[in-house]
Amino acid sequence: MPKQSAPQELAGIAPKLVEVTDEVLFGDVWERPGLSPRDRSLVTVSVLAALYRGEQLEYHLGVALDNGLGVAELSEAITHLAFYAGWPNAMSAITRLKGIAEKRGA
């Protein structure tokens, strides 16, 4: 998978945010050996779904698929978190996953 990076079109308005996102988050945190990219994706998707962060969730669902998680695994994780993070959060997340899976033919 290609290395993740912040949306470069944001550099004009928030160059430091883009820089630290690329260097610290994606250049350091995501590259640490303690968790695999697949596991980091599962954690990230779960937190974003739980916190109802749809815009970032959509991007990271795609990353999760690229990192080896399957649609069924992501669906199971979202179903599980419905009981801890709330039904509306889970329904929103699963709707986004469905759209991404359909676009990818998965």
Side-chain angles (χ1 to χ4, degrees):
M1 179 186 147
K3 186 175 178 215
Q4 298 177 72
S5 66
Q8 297 306 299
E9 65 271 12
L10 299 178
I13 192 166
K16 189 63 176 180
L17 179 60
V18 170
E19 177 187 328
V20 297
T21 299
D22 288 348
E23 292 179 10
V24 178
L25 177 60
F26 294 132
D28 180 23
V29 175
W30 270 85
E31 298 299 321
R32 293 174 51 82
L35 291 173
S36 69
R38 181 186 186 283
D39 291 345
R40 287 187 192 282
S41 281
L42 184 58
V43 170
T44 302
V45 164
S46 296
V47 170
L48 292 173
L51 295 175
Y52 205 72
R53 303 295 194 259
E55 187 175 314
Q56 292 293 310
L57 175 62
E58 192 157 332
Y59 169 78
H60 280 284
L61 285 167
V63 171
L65 293 169
D66 292 342
N67 281 338
L69 283 157
V71 172
E73 291 171 306
L74 291 167
S75 174
E76 188 63 31
I78 292 166
T79 299
H80 183 78
L81 71 84
F83 293 90
Y84 296 94
W87 214 263
N89 292 9
M91 293 303 288
S92 177
I94 208 69
T95 300
R96 289 177 186 272
L97 176 60
K98 180 180 184 293
I100 291 167
E102 288 173 349
K103 285 180 193 172
R104 292 183 174 214

